[in-house]
Amino acid sequence: MSPSVPSVEITVTAPEQMRDLGRRLAKLLRAGDLVMLNGELGAGKTTLTRGLGEGLGVRGAVTSPTFVIARVHPSLGDGPPLVHVDAYRLGGGLDEMEDLDLDVSLPESVIVVEWGEGKVEELTDDRLHVVIHRAVGTVSSLGATPGPPETDEVRHVTVTGLGERWSTVDLSVLSA
């Protein structure tokens, strides 16, 4: 019998709530943690990471590392640095990621990888998957039609812990 996989679903209705979720998530993280963020463009991955950076107390503004691929934000205190990676433009798997030396950084850092699915799972069996689904209107026979303005900011966030590290972590504190 395999242990249950901890998971929580959270509805977020504004960018500030996404940052707050990042700050709450930061309280659960420690050096050696890998967080994989997945969701369509504009879903809020960088906004969540900005909140993580605030919660971890790291230096520098957390912005999308799309063009530099990775940014390291050192801790302002005694916590771990945040390594923020955007794998969107990287086509290959871990081979292409090896140039970033994430396996070297992982033991002493919190690594957050946007668009990392299929690219960084080999780094560790213990990882947190965060999937952000954006409610972007409905689909009709004519194609996508915009939803009401109030649904433009709605996000459904699923946080799932994989591996022994996350088997005993109470992820329900994220929905507080």
Side-chain angles (χ1 to χ4, degrees), residues 141-169:
S141 59
L142 300 174
T145 57
E150 62 272 11
T151 64
D152 287 348
E153 297 298 329
V154 175
R155 307 290 192 267
H156 300 286
V157 183
T158 304
V159 181
T160 306
L162 298 175
E164 191 176 323
R165 153 77 173 104
W166 295 102
S167 64
T168 59
V169 176

Side-chain angles (χ1 to χ4, degrees), residues 29-42:
L29 297 175
R30 63 184 189 211
D33 284 341
L34 173 66
V35 180
M36 293 174 50
L37 299 180
N38 292 294
E40 52 269 340
L41 287 170

Side-chain angles (χ1 to χ4, degrees), residues 48-89:
L48 178 78
T49 306
R50 197 168 290 130
L52 272 173
E54 292 168 6
L56 290 171
V58 299
R59 186 177 74 216
V62 174
T63 59
S64 178
T66 300
F67 296 104
V68 295
I69 309 298
R71 278 198 177 90
V72 177
H73 298 275
S75 175
L76 292 171
D78 57 1
L82 171 66
V83 178
H84 184 198
V85 179
D86 186 331
Y88 183 74
R89 296 187 310 134

Side-chain angles (χ1 to χ4, degrees), residues 2-39:
S2 63
S4 65
V5 176
S7 184
V8 65
E9 291 187 28
I10 302 138
T11 299
V12 174
T13 58
E16 188 52 42
Q17 287 183 354
M18 188 67 79
R19 280 177 83 158
D20 285 345
L21 175 58
R23 287 189 282 268
R24 288 193 306 275
L25 180 56
K27 293 176 184 172
L28 299 178
L29 297 175
R30 63 184 189 211
D33 284 341
L34 173 66
V35 180
M36 293 174 50
L37 299 180
N38 292 294

